[in-house]
Amino acid sequence: MRIGVDVGGTNTDAVLMDGSDVRAWTKQPTTADVSSGVAAAITVVLEQAGVAPGAIASVMIGTTHFANALVERNQLDRVGVLRLASPSGEALPPMTGWPADLTARIGDHVFLLPGGYEMDGREIAPLDETRVRDAALTLRSAGVDAIAISCAFAPINAAMEDRAAQIVRQVHPDAVVTVSNAIGRIGFIERENAAILNTALTSLAGRVIASFERALAAIGVSAPLYISQNDGTLISAAQAATYPVLTIGSGPTNSMRGAAFLTGVTDAIVMDVGGTTTDVGVLVGGFPRESSIAVDIGGVRTNFRMPDILAIGLGGGTRVHLDPALYGAVALDAAALRVGPDSVGFRIAEDAMLFGGATLTTSDVAVATGRAAFGDPSRLPPLSDAVLQTVWQRIQTMLADTVDRMKTARGDVTILAVGGGNFLIPDTLKGAAKVIRPPHAGVANAVGAAIAQIGAQVEQLVSYDKVPRATVIAQLSDEARARVAAAGGDIEKVQIVDVDEVFLSYMPGRAAQVRVRAVSDLVENRTTGATPETSLAAHAH
Amino acid sequence: MRIDRAALADLATGAAFLGSGGGGDPYYAMLLGEAELARRGSFELVTLDVLADDALVVPCGWVGAPTVSVEKLPSGKEAMAGLLRLETMLGRKIDAVMPIEIGGSNGLAPLVAAAELGVPVVDADGMGRAFPESQMAIFNIHGISACPSVVTASSGSLTVIETSDNVEHERLARALAIALGGIAHMVEYPLSGAQAKAYAVPGSISAAIAIGAAIRQARAAGEDPFEALFTALWEGGLYSHAGVLFDGKITDLERETRGGFSVGRIVIEAFDGQSRVEVDFQNENLLARRDGRIVAMVPDILTVMDRETADSITTERLKYGQRVKLVGAAAPAMLRTERALDFVGPGAFGYPDAYVPIEQLNGWGA
């Protein structure tokens, strides 16, 4: 049996799964310290199912903490950036094109140092160890303890980044260091961006992951803890603490995969209505549709592969802006009403009128129209039918427009409605052939975390002069598939999701570094839980 | 006419499409352009007809392998050094700068150089798209010399090429680019205003901006960005036909840096697995075969695009597993003349097949 947890900004959801059965589920408020909310949620599902903590084989947690920190620009570390490439690249210094409010948080501690490689392996300039040391000393005295190191063509030769990291650690032992070759492949700016973002998140990640571990220890769950990453596979807690940037896209991935799992539908539009936003994504053949182009995270371009998600500012806690004098109006002018985009967020249980607050929210309107039942309806102000109709219609229009924007073909589509605020999506929505609201829709995210996929990566240095390319790729693909199966993945459903080759033209014999990645679903009815260590290659991403 | 931040982004989108997969991803060029705009406000764009007959107009751009350009970035001094050296050699000031090719990042590269030099950019280019080799420029087709030409690199190296033969000029430039790490900046084909007016592909920068604007507006309105692209191409007048040649997922990608080019092959399979298309490239996508039958050939434009967003994906940004549409467009008429095809048709790339226009290969009505 395994436990899936989704730690959102508003709620912490947990599910207990036995094979493909959801044995118990709960939704608890997210707490300021994170860990007590996680502990509470897990305790509830264990009690509900009457299962002892020792019977749990693994715990999978998906969290939006790191994505939110980037979007909200808070809890980020100041970062020192050492770029080894000069004179190449001086026209585009680190963080060029970043949003100003983010660079203001991260700081301007940038060192453009000689170094880097050419494509053919020559050095653009030799590494100047003295200048690396001086930069590290400068950062240490400035109190900057998070350092990102980037280097031209680091993916074909990591030596210079690794040596610079070694020097930094000697001089500034307290520093956390991220080297770009651990985070990404060819594409210098995007790789460096990801390394900087990762570094900015490291101390937050350390705190959050430690609080997860404390929560498990407090309730006697000794099972291994895994964290969901962008592609729906898992990484160990320790890896997530080191490479938090690899987990920032996991929220939408989990909700989409959870929705697909709970409904059995493989092609649909998934609408996950939370407290603040509705995330809309597209399932194609059971997989979240990915964005082909580089993805912006918090306004920064990276080359992570992530689900293609459209988020709108509409959720269960979204504020309905309407002059209280008009609550009883017999007719409502469209201009008098605004829905969102702001939300009361996790304060819904205090601020919404249903709970005795003074803010009119979408939840209040949904309860008033009889489309949802929670809170205390007697606390709602008198709202005329015309007002209720107008607000509800506005919500429907927002949802229908979003569906329309995500559609790729004309005609009506199947909608999977999930998330705690899924009551905002009615059974008939314009543009939808049908709306499916699966059991446990409110905790689809936690289900998605619990049914995480198994990933495996095989990487090899090959010479195409010795073995033909097609043979190499076929062999590595087979090996990746076998590793996925060995780790508990379903061999029937295994997919090769990435084949990446980097030619090392400084080596003889058409040498290439080839990496093949495969993923699959966990085999159903395996109650032992996954052992995803195989996906923990030395290189993340 | 001025190019502001919004127009720059539209130009990047349009140039990426016209690059036919090559010319480099405009994203980094756009970042450079934005930094320059923050300093200067906007770039000046002039039409060909305002040039004096005796004006000195200089095309420039980057030469090398796009796969290198995303890793080895410019120092920012390359273009200026080359242009200033040309001024010294010719003993006169440059009056305007032009992209040697509108396609890819090279369609944006001259903006910053022109702003630094204090001269306008001409709304025209030398290829109407992007081509891998320098002698494929329309100016060579009309017998204009590429030299004097100046090649510069981020290391600060500067080399002047003086040859009477434009193919030899390309060979030397390519060898230099390789020696300089795979990418270099080149100033070439210095033109008189009269030559620019007679031979350059007119209005290609504004055409690229219009293409980018159409895609942006369609996305914002929730309309089909591909339809908007085709309409914009048609209305612009330079590119008479366009359409989707294939829709599917990239299932194989052979991509190598060889001889100073990014060369290889893309395989896209239909989602039902029943059909596939293979695209050959040498920096630019050259030829596509659907289930063995040719559906597009150079000089017609052949661009791989994200099937949802209509973002053009340049050669070096392609990845296994991307879901894409392969889109084709007719090349400007001046590239389809018998004389031009000798330089830029399938034969110039070693294909035995005679050129057939994309609209005939696919039965697209006029």
Side-chain angles (χ1 to χ4, degrees), chain A residues 268-328:
Chain A
I269 286 186
V270 177
M271 306 185 82
D272 180 358
V273 190
T276 305
T277 60
T278 295
D279 291 344
V280 183
V282 182
L283 275 173
V284 185
F287 284 80
R289 186 174 85 194
E290 278 182 354
S291 170
S292 286
I293 41 150
V295 179
D296 274 17
I297 298 166
V300 175
R301 182 163 148 139
T302 66
N303 48 10
F304 291 121
R305 303 180 84 167
M306 290 219 235
D308 179 16
I309 295 289
L310 185 61
I312 56 165
L314 177 67
T318 297
R319 296 181 62 165
V320 177
H321 298 270
L322 179 67
D323 183 344
L326 295 170
Y327 283 0

Side-chain angles (χ1 to χ4, degrees), chain A residues 160-185:
Chain A
M160 220 180 264
E161 279 188 0
D162 292 346
R163 174 63 190 138
Q166 201 178 21
I167 296 168
V168 169
R169 288 192 182 102
Q170 281 166 359
V171 179
H172 188 1
D174 297 340
V176 237
V177 182
T178 302
V179 287
S180 83
N181 72 76
I183 294 271
R185 300 283 262 187

Side-chain angles (χ1 to χ4, degrees), chain A residues 34 65-66 69-70 74-79 105-106 143-147 174-178 195-214 237-245:
Chain A
V34 184
H65 261 95
F66 309 132
L70 287 174
N74 65 26
Q75 303 190 73
L76 300 173
D77 293 342
R78 289 187 304 150
V79 179
R105 284 305 306 253
I106 286 181
V144 177
D145 300 335
I147 299 174
D174 297 340
V176 237
V177 182
T178 302
I196 297 169
L197 292 178
N198 191 70
T199 315
L201 289 167
T202 310
S203 61
L204 172 67
R207 290 194 301 273
V208 169
I209 303 293
S211 76
F212 292 163
E213 287 170 329
R214 267 200 311 278
Q239 275 239 316
T242 312
Y243 299 115
V245 81

Side-chain angles (χ1 to χ4, degrees), chain B residues 163-206:
Chain B
T163 73
S164 55
D165 180 279
N166 288 345
V167 174
E168 188 168 294
H169 163 260
E170 155 66 25
R171 262 205 307 276
L172 288 167
R174 188 70 41 188
L176 276 169
I178 295 169
L180 294 164
I183 190 94
H185 187 271
M186 181 150 70
V187 171
E188 56 182 336
Y189 290 100
L191 306 167
S192 70
Q195 288 172 324
K197 285 184 275 194
Y199 305 128
V201 182
S204 45
I205 293 184
S206 45

